């Protein structure tokens, strides 16, 4: 099997995939491990019987507080409950700080979390903290881990990631223009950011900021990342940006860092390593979004099918209409396709690392967000007017899916990555 690909420009990853693909002997196994299966049962039980029934309380507590970013007491109760069940930090493969699950084991669990907007935070598996914890775990010094990673792992604080800027096309990370300048034993941060998700949470205590530390270095060595505690003088939140009219749960903030002085030991990794850390952060972050989106799509399909059986129009249940059956079937097919590609990407991350899986991660980021927007949209249509109200979770799930076509890199950038790889194989045909 390997010999078949040696004549082309197949990468080491492709060779390996083909070498152990089912057609070559069948050792790819996507069935869950006994531990993942057990955790999956427990998680499903927790989400269905504890988190979902608590959702109206969460909504009421936020509403009564009069602040969309209020942290309601019920969330702390859910967190304590999840932790007592061992459903905590499931995303982190590390056995000391996390649950020690592989990406493939985590995939079906994360899918279950995607069924509920509250479940990720309740289990300390919510973005953007998960990505931030991952890079603190991977690149943080003992001091940084002690001050920031530990309280994040405990669920005591929250964090945000400040890369995107209003005045430059931030889908190209090398455009980031904020400054992080060395001054003695400090760095001075001057940055104007936006879409800093979670910054408006009263529990958000630290931002990971990306900026230029050496404008003369190579494009990919110009940037650094630095930890900026929220109580640093010069840091402020300008406003939160409503997304499709919604502003909640820590929001997406426009943030200013004006001459913020930060101790030099708060640089994450090495100076000039910002671009590489951004790449490292996005691998797991992207695939986790995909896993949650599959869960959201699966739940929408469940709601669609139940509603189609119950609702009678023109003398028969909607489920008896051919067009409805078509939509149900298309949705099932799309979910299955997306799930298989997500699991392949997860398996590659486990076997050849996030770098070796980057094309599959790029592909699934496009596929999962498109799939979820179309499946959830069909469910909204089937629900009639009710579908566009907040009486059902469909609007929130659709909004999440639609924004993921932009967040963590727009579709076009991932398509560009994949197309370049494909076309490179045929460079020899150029005149
Ligand atoms: C809900 C939400 C949450 C977010 N959370 C965060 C966060 O926590 N932290 C953070 O730093 N950022 C966050 N972002 C920002 C997000 O990562 C950026 O919006 C994204 O990277 C695109 O950057 P941009 O908005 O500057 O768009 P631009 O770079 O201006 O791009 C605009 C459009 O140009 C097109 N385009 C770009 N490149 C190409 C190409 N090569 N080929 C063809 N077309 C192209 C795409 O259609 C793209 O959407 C979030 C965004 C959203 C919507």
């Amino acid at each position: 099997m390997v010999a078949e690909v040696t004549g082309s420009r197949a990468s080491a990853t492709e060779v390996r995939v083909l070498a152990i693909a089912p057609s070559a002997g069948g050792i790819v196994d996507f069935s869950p491990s006994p531990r993942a299966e057990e955790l999956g049962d427990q998680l499903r039980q927790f989400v269905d019987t504890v988190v979902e029934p608590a959702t109206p309380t969460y909504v009421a507590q936020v509403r009564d507080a009069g602040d969309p970013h209020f942290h309601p007491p019920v969330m702390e109760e859910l967190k304590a409950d999840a932790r007592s069940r061992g459903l905590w930090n499931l995303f982190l493969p590390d056995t000391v700080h996390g649950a020690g699950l592989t990406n493939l084991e985590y995939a079906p669990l994360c899918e279950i979390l995607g069924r509920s907007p509250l479940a990720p935070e309740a289990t300390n598996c919510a973005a953007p903290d998960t990505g931030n914890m991952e890079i603190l775990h991977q690149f943080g010094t003992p001091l940084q881990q002690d001050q920031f990673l530990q309280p994040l792992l405990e669920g005591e604080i929250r964090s945000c990631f400040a890369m995107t800027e209003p005045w430059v096309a931030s889908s190209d990370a090398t455009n980031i223009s904020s400054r992080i300048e060395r001054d003695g034993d400090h760095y001075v941060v001057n940055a104007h950011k936006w879409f800093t998700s979670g910054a408006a949470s009263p529990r958000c205590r630290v931002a990971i900021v990306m900026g230029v530390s050496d404008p003369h270095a190579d494009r990919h060595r110009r940037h650094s990342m630095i930890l900026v505690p929220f109580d640093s003088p010069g840091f402020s939140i300008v406003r939160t940006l409503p997304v499709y009219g919604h502003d909640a749960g820590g929001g997406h903030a426009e943030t200013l860092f004006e001459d913020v002085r930060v101790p030099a030991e708060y640089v994450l990794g090495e100076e000039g390593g910002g671009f590489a850390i951004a790449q490292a952060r996005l691998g797991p972050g992207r695939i986790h979004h995909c896993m949650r989106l599959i869960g959201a799509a699966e739940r929408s399909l469940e709601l669609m099918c139940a509603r189609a059986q119950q609702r009678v129009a023109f003398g028969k249940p909607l489920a008896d209409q051919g067009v409805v059956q078509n939509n149900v079937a298309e949705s099932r097919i799309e979910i299955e396709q997306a799930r298989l590609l997500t699991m392949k990407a997860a398996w590659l991350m486990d076997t050849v690392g996030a770098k070796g899986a980057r094309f599959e991660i790029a592909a699934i980021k496009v596929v999962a967000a498109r799939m979820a927007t179309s499946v959830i949209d069909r469910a909204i249509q089937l629900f009639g007017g009710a579908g566009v109200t907040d009486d059902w979770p469909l609007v929130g799930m659709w909004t999440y899916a639609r924004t993921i076509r932009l967040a963590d890199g727009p579709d076009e950038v991932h398509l560009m990555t994949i197309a370049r790889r494909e076309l490179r194989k045929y460079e020899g045909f150029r005149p």
Side-chain angles (χ1 to χ4, degrees):
M1 197 65 188
V2 175
E4 276 182 43
V5 292
T6 47
S8 75
R9 291 172 185 235
S11 66
T13 307
E14 282 174 308
V15 172
R16 185 160 179 176
V17 171
L18 288 168
I20 57 174
S23 58
I27 60 165
V28 177
D29 183 2
F30 288 161
S31 56
S33 66
R35 177 152 180 250
E37 196 157 18
E38 193 187 332
L39 281 170
D41 290 343
Q42 290 170 2
L43 192 58
R44 185 68 198 252
Q45 159 99 350
F46 176 62
V47 171
D48 287 352
T49 64
V50 180
V51 179
E52 273 304 297
T55 305
T57 308
Y58 180 99
V59 172
Q61 289 181 351
V62 173
R63 189 190 53 227
D64 293 349
D67 171 6
H69 306 296
F70 176 70
H71 183 67
V74 69
M75 180 50 78
E76 288 306 308
E77 291 164 23
L78 291 174
K79 283 164 62 180
D81 195 343
R83 205 167 182 177
S84 72
R85 295 168 189 246
L87 303 171
W88 193 252
N89 290 336
L90 300 169
F91 69 97
L92 199 59
D94 177 72
T95 44
V96 178
H97 296 110
L101 297 168
T102 63
N103 287 291
L104 195 54
E105 286 178 310
Y106 182 52
L109 306 182
C110 191
E111 208 188 283
I112 295 169
L113 297 178
R115 299 173 61 83
S116 149
L118 304 187
E121 184 177 353
T123 51
N124 215 35
C125 292
D129 299 311
T130 46
N132 295 341
M133 286 189 260
E134 262 148 9
I135 55 175
L136 276 164
H137 180 255
Q138 201 176 340
F139 300 98
T141 62
L143 174 124
Q144 293 168 355
Q145 292 186 347
D146 189 46
Q147 290 191 10
F148 303 108
L149 177 60
Q150 206 50 45
L152 280 167
L153 287 166
E154 296 295 323
E156 291 166 2
I157 65 168
R158 298 210 64 184
S159 61
C160 58
F161 185 70
M163 183 169 115
T164 304
E165 300 173 1
W167 310 118
V168 297
S170 303
S171 48
D172 177 355
T174 62
N175 279 343
I176 298 304
S177 65
S178 299
R179 294 304 310 269
I180 299 176
E181 293 167 284
R182 183 88 191 218
D183 182 20
D185 54 4
H186 282 71
Y187 281 89
V188 179
V189 181
N190 277 290
H192 185 182
K193 302 285 186 179
W194 74 347
F195 286 99
T196 313
S197 297
S201 163
R203 301 176 61 253
C204 192
R205 296 281 187 277
V206 62
I208 297 178
V209 181
M210 181 164 169
V212 175
S213 47
D214 179 0
H216 306 296
D218 173 82
R219 296 173 68 221
H220 296 106
R221 293 287 307 164
R222 260 175 226 171
H223 297 86
S224 296
M225 285 207 191
I226 195 158
L227 292 148
V228 180
F230 262 30
D231 55 6
S232 308
F235 167 73
S236 61
I237 292 178
V238 180
R239 60 173 175 150
T240 50
L241 302 153
V243 169
Y244 286 104
H246 281 271
D247 182 22
H252 308 284
E254 183 175 340
T255 48
L256 263 186
F257 302 78
E258 296 173 291
D259 287 327
V260 177
R261 291 183 72 78
V262 184
E265 56 262 36
Y266 283 178
V267 162
L268 197 53
E270 52 172 1
E271 192 181 307
F275 187 83
I277 298 175
Q279 294 301 105
R281 185 183 186 281
L282 289 172
R286 283 174 180 152
I287 198 167
H288 294 166
H289 279 309
C290 299
M291 294 165 180
R292 282 189 291 267
L293 286 170
I294 292 165
E298 191 68 61
R299 182 160 184 218
S300 302
L301 179 57
E302 286 168 19
L303 290 170
M304 184 177 7
C305 290
R307 180 85 167 189
Q309 295 287 16
Q310 278 168 1
R311 200 83 166 168
V312 174
F314 300 97
K316 55 185 179 183
L318 289 174
D320 291 352
Q321 299 285 356
V323 69
V324 171
Q325 293 173 3
N326 207 51
N327 283 344
V328 167
E330 295 276 8
S331 300
R332 169 52 62 213
I333 291 167
E334 289 170 16
I335 292 172
E336 295 298 321
Q337 287 175 329
R339 181 182 283 123
L340 273 175
L341 188 51
T342 302
M343 291 177 89
K344 180 187 173 192
W347 170 74
L348 278 174
M349 286 173 78
D350 294 334
T351 49
V352 294
K355 208 170 167 195
R358 67 189 181 284
F359 295 107
E360 283 76 10
I361 294 171
I364 196 57
K365 170 75 170 40
V366 175
V367 168
R370 284 183 181 172
M371 174 280 293
T373 42
S374 79
V375 170
I376 301 166
D377 189 62
R378 288 186 199 116
I380 289 173
Q381 192 68 16
L382 189 284
F383 267 74
V388 292
T389 69
D390 284 346
D391 283 4
W392 296 91
L394 298 168
V395 170
M397 294 196 293
W398 184 88
T399 305
Y400 170 54
R402 182 63 186 84
T403 60
I404 297 303
R405 294 192 54 202
L406 294 161
D408 283 359
D411 287 359
E412 292 82 354
V413 174
H414 299 298
L415 293 171
M416 179 180 71
T417 304
I418 296 163
R420 280 182 179 166
R421 199 259 310 241
E422 290 302 314
L423 289 168
R424 210 174 295 132
K425 297 174 196 166
Y426 302 93
E427 270 169 359
F429 286 87
R430 285 213 162 196

